């Protein structure tokens, strides 16, 4: 039986495309820029503890990235199913997608709680036997893993807001969480305002406190302001069919995002063979590149529900128009990133209290890797198109090919030259392969899914 929510038209079906994409994306882009700022500031403060502390946090990053992979991948599935249900006026289906989505998110956090208790130290020992780095990394990983329910809850409730077009509120949840992190970082790391000096443990605590704050705000916004869904857990029972539909899109997205953790782990192993400084530089690069990539991911998060909604409503012109605009905006953002990395690499490395050796390595790394940013803009947007259309497999294949089939083997082969700077060229090489695959899969998806749509 259908719920009594009126069958009104959501703005994603009627608002002019350019205005819609910007209104949906800009709040997420701003909040992700704030999040990227936090990522940079967090590492800047950790670098003041020592280079070993910075290296430890860099080596711990694959696990943090894995948490985000599970959360955002599941969120893609929730977002796509919820938006398609709203586009088809299936309001009961939208409610089921929301409640079951939150349920599986919180269930997933239990896996990382167990890892934090039993696996944190072993993970660090797999990468290095330097005692100081292992100890720092274990302390950091225990905190962020055992309290991971915060990040899973925050992302779950943000995706519900995004799927219904309320991206302004996700800007608030992410922004408040990130700003709280930035404020707490120096206080907890260096022991200010009466707090004990906790070093990298303080950095981890600042992170999870911000995530839990974003989680709490997300709950309030959804229950009070999100009127497109009715989120109720009274008498809740998991729906296998709904969870299956969420993971039909979500699992490829999870695997695709998790591959980044495997790639990062592999790159850390390759680079630490040269020196711990090289691994630290790679960690710094990942923090800095988030400043460029995060706004593009925010653009994608605004684009996906628009495409999913209009795919459910069978509106071809709105789908193709949104894709073209998203690619254009992504290229503009990435062009700014290329200029930043090419013109100011020394200044960027100086933010992290870089030694002379770290400075020299970092300048070369930033300039070489940033060569691929413009191509990446196109690939990132097109990969998200497949997810929005309910088929995450092409995105998975592209990600596997880019990061595992091409990037890691290329990096290893280039490392055999004995020159660490040659390793960075693996990134542009892998992106060229990604671009070619994206184009081939998009042409197929257009022919099979977009072109046959009849305008409503």
């Amino acid at each position: 039986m259908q719920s009594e929510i009126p069958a009104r038209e959501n703005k994603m079906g009627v608002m002019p495309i350019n205005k819609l994409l910007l209104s949906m994306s800009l709040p997420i882009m701003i909040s992700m820029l704030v999040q990227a700022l936090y990522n940079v500031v967090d590492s800047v403060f950790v670098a003041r503890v020592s280079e070993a502390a910075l290296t430890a946090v860099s080596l711990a990053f694959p696990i943090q990235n894995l948490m985000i992979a599970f959360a955002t991948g599941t969120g893609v599935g929730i977002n796509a199913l919820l938006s398609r249900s709203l586009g088809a006026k299936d309001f009961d289906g939208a409610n089921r997608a929301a409640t079951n989505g939150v349920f599986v998110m919180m269930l997933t956090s239990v896996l990382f709680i167990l890892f934090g208790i039993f696996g944190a130290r072993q993970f660090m020992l797999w990468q290095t036997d330097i005692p100081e780095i292992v100890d720092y990394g274990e302390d950091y990983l225990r905190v962020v893993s055992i309290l991971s329910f915060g990040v899973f809850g925050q992302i779950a409730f943000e995706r519900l807001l995004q799927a219904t077009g309320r991206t302004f509120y996700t800007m608030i949840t992410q922004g408040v969480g990130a700003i709280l992190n930035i404020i707490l970082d120096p206080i907890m790391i260096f022991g200010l305002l009466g707090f004990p000096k906790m070093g990298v443990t303080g950095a981890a605590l600042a992170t999870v406190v911000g995530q839990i704050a974003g989680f709490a705000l997300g709950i309030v916004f959804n229950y009070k302001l999100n009127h497109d869904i009715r989120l109720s857990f009274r008498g809740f029972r998991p729906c296998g069919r709904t969870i299956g539909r969420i993971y039909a899109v979500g699992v490829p997205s999870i695997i695709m995002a998790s591959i980044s953790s495997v790639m990062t782990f592999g790159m850390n192993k390759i680079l630490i063979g040269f020196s711990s400084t090289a691994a630290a530089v790679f960690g710094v690069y990942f923090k800095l590149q988030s400043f460029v990539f995060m706004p593009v991911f925010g653009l994608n998060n605004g684009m996906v529900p628009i495409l999913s909604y209009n795919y459910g409503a069978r509106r071809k012109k709105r789908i193709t128009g949104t894709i073209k605009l998203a690619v254009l905006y992504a290229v503009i953002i990435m062009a700014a990133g290329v200029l930043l990395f090419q013109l100011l690499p020394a200044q960027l490395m100086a933010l992290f209290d870089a030694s002379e050796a770290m400075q020299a390595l970092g300048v070369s790394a930033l300039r070489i890797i940033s060569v691929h940013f413009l191509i990446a803009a196109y690939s990132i947007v097109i990969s998200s198109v497949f997810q929005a259309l309910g088929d995450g497999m092409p995105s998975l294949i592209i990600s596997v090919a880019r990061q595992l089939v091409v990037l890691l083997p290329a990096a290893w082969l280039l490392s055999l030259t004995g020159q660490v700077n040659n390793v960075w060229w693996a990134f542009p090489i892998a992106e060229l392969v990604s671009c070619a695959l994206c184009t081939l899969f998009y042409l197929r998806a257009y022919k099979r899914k977009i072109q046959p749509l009849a305008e409503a």
Side-chain angles (χ1 to χ4, degrees), residues 17-347:
I17 294 172
N18 190 43
K19 182 180 179 182
L20 176 63
L21 181 60
L22 292 175
S23 68
M24 290 282 288
S25 301
L26 278 176
I28 310 175
M29 292 166 69
I30 292 170
S31 61
M32 284 193 161
L33 270 174
V34 175
Q35 183 65 40
L37 176 64
Y38 157 69
N39 288 337
V40 172
V41 171
D42 182 59
S43 291
V44 166
F45 284 127
V46 169
R48 264 56 179 181
V49 176
S50 68
E51 187 174 303
L54 179 62
T55 303
V57 172
S58 298
L59 296 181
F61 179 74
I63 296 299
Q64 281 187 291
N65 195 56
L66 196 62
M67 291 181 202
I68 300 298
F70 272 85
T72 56
T74 305
V76 167
I78 296 168
N79 201 331
L81 178 58
L82 183 48
S83 296
R84 285 201 307 274
S85 298
L86 290 174
K89 304 297 184 289
D90 178 10
F91 298 107
D92 285 336
N95 292 336
R96 283 194 301 273
T99 52
N100 282 275
V102 172
F103 168 73
V104 295
M105 279 282 211
M106 300 315 298
L107 198 61
T108 306
S109 70
V110 175
L111 298 175
F112 289 94
I113 292 171
L114 293 173
F115 168 82
I117 297 171
F118 299 110
R121 185 170 188 84
Q122 185 58 51
F123 178 79
M124 294 302 301
L125 287 170
W126 282 341
Q127 298 179 88
T128 181
D129 58 359
I130 302 173
E132 186 180 16
I133 295 176
V134 171
D135 290 341
Y136 277 139
E138 180 186 10
D139 292 343
Y140 188 87
L141 277 177
R142 282 190 181 276
V143 174
V144 297
S145 299
I146 292 172
L147 297 175
S148 62
F149 68 89
V151 68
F152 280 94
Q154 179 181 0
I155 291 174
F157 282 93
E158 285 173 355
R159 290 305 181 267
L160 302 185
L161 293 167
Q162 290 173 11
T164 55
R166 292 171 172 83
T167 54
F168 174 77
Y169 299 114
T170 65
M171 178 180 71
I172 297 176
T173 58
Q174 290 186 3
V176 168
I179 291 170
L180 190 58
N181 285 339
I182 293 170
I183 294 171
L184 291 177
D185 257 334
I187 294 173
M188 291 184 166
I189 290 173
F190 303 116
L192 308 178
L193 303 179
F195 277 78
K197 184 178 180 180
M198 292 182 281
V200 294
T201 302
L205 280 171
T207 296
V208 297
V209 168
Q211 291 165 347
I212 293 169
F215 179 15
L217 279 174
I219 293 173
V220 172
F221 289 149
N222 274 285
Y223 275 98
K224 297 292 185 182
L225 301 171
N226 195 348
H227 305 302
D228 283 308
I229 57 174
R230 295 289 181 265
L231 195 64
S232 175
F233 290 92
R234 183 175 297 174
F236 168 75
R237 289 184 179 180
C239 175
R241 183 171 181 269
T242 299
I243 292 172
R245 293 177 71 188
I246 288 172
Y247 280 124
V249 175
V251 166
S253 299
I254 291 170
I255 296 173
M256 181 175 63
S258 299
I259 287 166
S260 178
S261 293
V262 177
M263 181 275 291
T264 306
F265 180 84
M267 286 295 295
N268 282 334
K269 290 283 287 182
I270 291 169
L271 292 169
I272 209 162
F274 287 95
S275 67
S276 61
T277 299
V281 166
F282 184 57
V284 167
Y285 159 72
F286 251 93
K287 299 292 185 178
L288 290 173
Q289 63 94 30
S290 69
F291 227 82
V292 183
F293 281 69
M294 281 290 197
V296 179
F297 294 147
L299 179 70
N300 276 1
N301 285 339
M303 176 192 72
V304 166
I306 298 173
L307 296 182
S308 294
Y309 185 98
N310 286 285
Y311 183 61
R314 302 185 63 82
R315 291 172 179 156
K316 182 173 71 172
K317 289 183 180 179
R318 291 183 68 81
I319 293 172
T320 56
T322 301
I323 294 170
K324 290 175 183 177
L325 278 174
V327 170
L328 174 63
Y329 290 140
V331 169
I332 292 171
I333 293 167
M334 287 295 198
V338 173
L339 290 175
L340 181 67
F341 277 57
Q342 292 295 326
L343 299 179
L344 301 173
Q347 290 83 345

Side-chain angles (χ1 to χ4, degrees), residues 303 306-308 310-324 381-391 438-456:
M303 176 192 72
I306 298 173
L307 296 182
S308 294
N310 286 285
Y311 183 61
R314 302 185 63 82
R315 291 172 179 156
K316 182 173 71 172
K317 289 183 180 179
R318 291 183 68 81
I319 293 172
T320 56
T322 301
I323 294 170
K324 290 175 183 177
V381 172
I382 298 301
S383 289
S384 293
V385 170
F386 308 131
Q387 296 164 7
L389 298 179
D391 184 8
C438 280
T439 302
L440 290 174
F441 280 119
Y442 177 73
L443 291 174
R444 189 185 71 165
Y446 181 83
K447 182 178 180 180
R448 294 183 178 182
K449 292 197 167 192
I450 300 175
Q451 195 171 38
L453 295 179
E455 291 294 328

